[in-house]
Amino acid sequence: MEAGAAQSTPMAAVDAANLALERGQPNVVTLAGLLAPGGVVDADGRPDAAALREVLAPRIERVEVLHRVPVETGGEWRWRSAAPDLAHHIRVIDPSTSFESTCARVLMTPVDPDRPLWELLLVPRADGHRCGMLFRLHHAVADGLGAEALVAALSDDAQGADAVRAQSPEPPPAARRPLLRRWGDLAVQTAAVFRRSVRSDALLGPLGPTRDVAFLDVDLTRLHDGAHRLGGTVDDAFLAAFGQGMRAMLTAAGETPPAAIPVSSPVRLARRAGEGNATGVMLVPIPVAGSDADIEGSVARVAALTRSEKARARAVGTYRLMSNPRAARMLMHFALRQRAVGAIASELTGPPATLRLGGAELVAAWPLALLSGNVRVGALAVSYAGRFRVSIQTDASHLPPARVLADGMARALERIGASART
């Protein structure tokens, strides 16, 4: 990586911290989707990459974060302006046996650190006559919601990014608590991270070199209404259903599911100027043991936990061990051996209507989870165009297929949705 600070700007410490986490799986945010025939996608699902570059070039020109590379000078990370080569950044790749397997393969490929840290990959005939799309962005540039907003900004609808922001309004700064209360919140959060409460050898351990990915989706309105009837939100339903999927996964792995598994779930914070990342962390022990019939009670239990934990996470703000590169390196050293977090789960809110890129309708979209440290399971979801879409990612070397977890989770989400009609 070329050093030098000419025509450069400071990098926010929390963004620079993400450059220190580049171990094992690339620290890259990935949004996957399917483009229907039309515009730059022909009737057989084959993309015209040159035509898409021509369409997107003026839009990319207006997005500053797509025109810079990280440089380190004297231990300080900065952003240096650099023009993207669209022939590299927007390109066609060969499909694997399925779009899910293509995504699993791409997840383990880093972005080039000597170029702007993003790429838009096109996958011909990824799903029948639909073209696959993977927008990839290094976590130092933006978090999941930021990546989602960038895709919307590149879409044909000039209001796309506004639609994303309207669905996910910036949270207000957390109410300032008394100093002792804030120190208490930090102490509780730190103590939780250092507990050794996860005994599963399947869920935690060294990560292998390959990943497995599975997708699922359910009707958003039914899920919302069902979750509300059970005393929770869509996010609470997502976490409760994830617990049921984890039970199926652990059973298939030959382990007895515990009563609960602590799951790390990001909490959105008010974004400071110049920051690409603005997330806190809450640790939620989601119910796992039991049967499919327990899902209704699980939603209520998760809702009670998230109400208090979200407030605590927002009061604490950015986790101290992710506040700068040195602290992040310490966190990664600990994360390779930790036993406090059994899985990772996060949920985004997307636009209510489908987006278009180069005249092709983005008919389906999934954010892809990011595994890190010694955590082998992750789930990431988005509400998009009337559907609630979830991606499951697992360490393929050590766990049963991701489809096992996805199917168990889908059954739980359908059961929650069905409760809206009872």
Side-chain angles (χ1 to χ4, degrees), residues 172-367:
R176 190 168 182 80
R177 297 187 178 194
L179 180 61
L180 288 178
R181 181 70 178 275
R182 281 182 278 139
W183 278 106
D185 288 333
L186 179 59
V188 169
Q189 185 189 66
T190 301
V193 169
F194 283 92
R195 286 195 193 106
R196 298 185 66 81
S197 53
V198 181
R199 295 185 174 89
S200 171
D201 291 327
L203 295 179
L204 300 182
L207 298 183
T210 58
R211 300 290 177 265
D212 193 25
V213 170
F215 296 142
L216 65 112
D217 65 278
V218 296
D219 182 81
L220 177 59
T221 299
R222 285 185 62 201
L223 180 62
H224 173 275
D225 293 347
H228 181 74
R229 180 181 178 278
L230 298 175
T233 64
V234 167
D235 189 34
D236 297 327
F238 163 64
L239 291 174
F242 186 44
Q244 297 298 296
M246 294 277 281
R247 176 168 60 83
M249 171 69 77
L250 287 172
T251 301
E255 291 192 353
T256 301
I261 291 175
V263 171
S264 175
S265 186
V267 175
R268 192 175 176 210
L269 305 176
R271 195 179 301 271
R272 298 186 182 96
E275 288 184 344
N277 291 267
T279 52
V281 176
M282 67 175 178
L283 201 57
V284 184
I286 59 173
V288 174
S291 65
D292 289 348
D294 296 332
I295 187 61
E296 296 184 1
S298 293
V299 173
R301 291 195 293 275
V302 169
L305 290 167
T306 58
R307 277 192 289 270
S308 60
E309 290 306 308
K310 282 182 181 178
R312 190 194 310 279
R314 289 197 170 111
V316 171
T318 300
Y319 185 52
R320 293 297 188 271
L321 291 181
M322 272 299 295
S323 60
N324 61 73
R326 179 178 296 179
R329 283 190 289 270
M330 293 172 55
L331 175 63
M332 178 54 72
H333 180 77
F334 164 74
L336 295 172
R337 300 162 182 81
Q338 64 83 34
R339 306 293 299 185
V341 176
I344 301 167
S346 182
E347 184 253 339
L348 304 173
T349 303
T354 56
L355 302 175
R356 289 180 179 272
L357 284 176
E361 184 180 13
L362 184 64
V363 293
W366 298 270

Side-chain angles (χ1 to χ4, degrees), residues 63-82:
V63 182
E64 180 186 358
V65 298
L66 302 182
H67 289 260
R68 58 191 192 184
V69 296
V71 293
E72 187 179 16
T73 306
E76 178 190 12
W77 284 99
R78 300 178 68 88
W79 291 115
R80 177 173 56 81
S81 296

Side-chain angles (χ1 to χ4, degrees), residues 79-224:
W79 291 115
R80 177 173 56 81
S81 296
D85 175 5
L86 296 191
H88 169 81
H89 287 276
I90 302 174
R91 64 186 189 275
V92 176
I93 63 171
D94 293 331
S96 298
T97 54
S98 68
F99 187 47
E100 292 166 327
S101 60
T102 301
C103 291
R105 184 191 84 214
V106 170
L107 282 171
M108 300 306 291
T109 305
V111 292
D112 187 343
D114 295 321
R115 300 175 184 269
L117 302 178
W118 66 275
E119 59 188 11
L120 177 59
L121 307 179
L122 302 169
V123 188
R125 298 178 57 84
D127 183 61
H129 296 301
R130 297 188 290 187
C131 173
M133 179 204 80
L134 293 101
F135 179 73
R136 308 183 69 227
L137 187 76
H138 197 283
H139 219 313
V141 180
D143 52 24
L145 189 62
E148 184 185 30
L150 284 173
V151 171
L154 297 178
S155 69
D156 296 352
D157 182 357
Q159 308 305 315
D162 293 336
V164 170
R165 284 189 288 268
Q167 292 296 306
S168 303
E170 194 77 15
R176 190 168 182 80
R177 297 187 178 194
L179 180 61
L180 288 178
R181 181 70 178 275
R182 281 182 278 139
W183 278 106
D185 288 333
L186 179 59
V188 169
Q189 185 189 66
T190 301
V193 169
F194 283 92
R195 286 195 193 106
R196 298 185 66 81
S197 53
V198 181
R199 295 185 174 89
S200 171
D201 291 327
L203 295 179
L204 300 182
L207 298 183
T210 58
R211 300 290 177 265
D212 193 25
V213 170
F215 296 142
L216 65 112
D217 65 278
V218 296
D219 182 81
L220 177 59
T221 299
R222 285 185 62 201
L223 180 62
H224 173 275

Side-chain angles (χ1 to χ4, degrees), residues 48-61:
D48 185 337
L52 184 59
R53 292 182 199 117
E54 185 176 355
V55 168
L56 295 185
R59 302 172 191 173
I60 292 169
E61 187 66 29

